[in-house]
Amino acid sequence: MTDQRIVYTSSDALLPGMTRMEEWQFRMQATLNFDTSFACEQASQLAWEVTTHHFAGLIGVLMQLSPQKIERTPASLSQADVDYLMVDLILAGEVWSRAGHRETVAKAGDFLVLDLMQQSTITLHQPATLISWVLPRTALPQDPAALHGMLLDHRQPAARLLGAQLRELMACSPELSAEDIAFYGAESTHQLVTTLSRQLAQPGQVEYQPPLLGRICLYIEQHLGDRTLSPQDLSHRFGLARASLYRLFEPMGGVASYIRKRRLLTARRCLMDHRQHHLRIGQIAHRCGLEASTFSRLYTQAFEMTPRQARTLSLMARPLESIETLDIQRAHLGWFRQL
């Protein structure tokens, strides 16, 4: 039987009743809420092989993909819990990216870094093979926003050393014991974080300012528990007219709606966190900047269950090692919650 912490999917084995296009878009939405699009000839040739490995605090995804476009749009950012960095190690082919002010072409051996709290567009003009490493943004001691779209060239020692370790970790993954997974996963995370932190410390990196929308979203994320956080506060802090702020957030349903969604997503994460089960539901609402009197109604509207039901389900949930199904949506969302 396949290792329960490893999920393999392929365009040659589709879910019942789904076309290739429907299943691929479902899988991309079910993990980190990516949008995908294809030219006509690309749609007819759509194919993938994806193997996802869960390590301690780190997820590695080996992908062989046909040509396509993969995007994080404002709508994507408002609909998913995306507090992660994605670090792509290109194994074969080329990956064209547009992220913030950076437009790059990543080739074999290169690393491409994406902050999933910011917009980006990835284009594959030809088939490509890559390993995507996903880790929490909070793993970095510095603000990782400046890394968005950064390319670590394969000729640099840092890229060669890090690439060798991460390729071997993926190759050895099926043979690792539970103790090995915890140890080598933590060691690889440490090396990945150290390499990225050194890039942030280099001259020129810290001077980068992400696009205005990204800066505002980051500020919102850092102040969700602040009761004074509001469209008026943001307009004053960023020197924007109210109309300009609303136009900026219009694709996300408006700035007030975006703040509320992010607060509710944070509350959902807290409710599912076993380490926070000693907190009353009203306390969680308060910590997330929400009124206890309206929290249950808003939460139910957003997630189709009450906060109490969500907490009960999380208490009943079995740990990762006991997952019997390899369904990608259930497995992956559980993994991301554990990062």
Side-chain angles (χ1 to χ4, degrees):
M1 180 177 175
T2 304
D3 190 331
Q4 292 174 333
R5 65 177 187 84
I6 301 175
V7 173
Y8 173 77
T9 66
S10 166
S11 52
D12 292 331
L14 301 178
L15 294 171
M18 281 195 174
T19 65
R20 283 192 175 191
M21 180 76 73
E22 290 170 340
E23 180 166 336
W24 182 240
Q25 291 178 332
F26 161 71
R27 293 186 182 280
M28 296 297 281
Q29 287 283 331
T31 51
L32 286 172
N33 209 46
F34 286 107
D35 294 318
T36 57
S37 59
F38 309 86
C40 291
E41 64 274 12
Q42 292 174 341
S44 64
Q45 299 170 8
L46 174 61
W48 71 87
E49 287 188 22
V50 178
T51 309
T52 307
H53 300 247
H54 182 274
F55 301 99
L58 186 67
I59 293 175
V61 189
L62 174 61
M63 298 187 284
Q64 298 180 35
L65 304 177
S66 62
Q68 59 188 281
K69 181 183 289 185
I70 303 169
E71 296 182 279
R72 294 205 66 75
T73 63
S76 303
L77 295 174
S78 67
Q79 294 171 8
D81 196 356
V82 290
D83 302 337
Y84 308 108
L85 284 178
M86 177 172 284
V87 184
D88 293 334
L89 169 59
I90 315 305
L91 301 181
E94 295 182 343
V95 175
W96 297 64
S97 72
R98 185 174 70 250
H101 76 305
R102 295 181 169 116
E103 293 190 15
T104 59
V105 181
K107 302 180 180 181
D110 292 344
F111 281 90
L112 174 65
V113 185
L114 297 175
D115 177 3
L116 297 185
M117 281 184 61
Q118 301 188 56
Q119 297 180 61
S120 61
T121 300
I122 300 298
T123 305
L124 307 179
H125 296 292
Q126 300 294 331
T129 303
L130 59 150
I131 305 176
S132 291
W133 296 96
V134 182
L135 72 160
R137 296 173 83 254
T138 53
L140 267 74
Q142 311 100 316
D143 176 9
L147 292 171
H148 188 49
M150 187 198 75
L151 186 70
L152 189 59
D153 191 277
H154 66 278
R155 291 166 292 190
Q156 298 180 32
R160 289 155 52 198
L161 290 168
L162 183 61
Q165 175 165 337
L166 294 179
R167 284 193 296 269
E168 285 304 311
L169 176 64
M170 188 67 83
C172 295
S173 177
E175 306 167 30
L176 297 179
S177 65
E179 293 77 12
D180 289 338
I181 292 164
F183 177 77
Y184 292 112
E187 285 294 305
S188 297
T189 301
H190 174 72
Q191 184 168 346
L192 188 53
V193 167
T194 300
T195 301
L196 295 177
S197 297
R198 290 191 66 185
Q199 295 301 311
L200 277 172
Q202 290 180 4
Q205 291 292 346
V206 295
E207 297 175 3
Y208 164 62
Q209 286 291 315
L212 179 59
L213 179 61
R215 298 205 306 274
I216 297 175
C217 288
L218 181 61
Y219 179 85
I220 290 172
E221 208 66 25
Q222 294 172 338
H223 295 83
L224 288 175
D226 188 345
R227 295 302 183 91
T228 65
L229 180 65
S230 65
Q232 296 90 333
D233 173 57
L234 293 172
S235 293
H236 176 73
R237 185 168 296 275
F238 289 92
L240 285 172
R242 291 278 296 276
S244 298
L245 182 67
Y246 286 131
R247 281 196 298 271
L248 200 59
F249 279 83
E250 187 175 1
M252 305 182 188
V255 61
S257 175
Y258 176 80
I259 293 172
R260 184 169 59 250
K261 287 176 183 177
R262 295 306 304 165
R263 283 172 164 163
L264 287 168
L265 284 165
T266 302
R268 181 178 66 174
R269 191 189 320 141
C270 293
L271 287 168
M272 293 179 173
D273 186 348
H274 287 238
R275 296 167 297 182
Q276 300 192 50
H277 281 173
H278 65 286
L279 296 175
R280 296 192 301 273
I281 289 177
Q283 289 177 298
I284 288 177
H286 182 79
R287 289 188 175 193
C288 296
L290 295 160
E291 295 292 339
S293 59
T294 59
F295 177 53
S296 182
R297 175 177 58 82
L298 293 173
Y299 191 96
T300 303
Q301 288 176 349
F303 304 117
E304 298 184 348
M305 67 174 66
T306 67
R308 193 169 301 281
Q309 288 172 328
R311 171 165 278 183
T312 300
L313 286 173
S314 72
L315 287 168
M316 296 170 58
R318 292 172 293 179
L320 177 69
E321 291 78 8
S322 301
I323 293 176
E324 295 174 357
T325 176
L326 294 182
D327 178 85
I328 190 168
Q329 188 174 37
R330 290 183 57 190
H332 285 188
L333 292 180
W335 293 355
F336 287 121
R337 283 198 297 269
Q338 294 182 40
L339 283 182

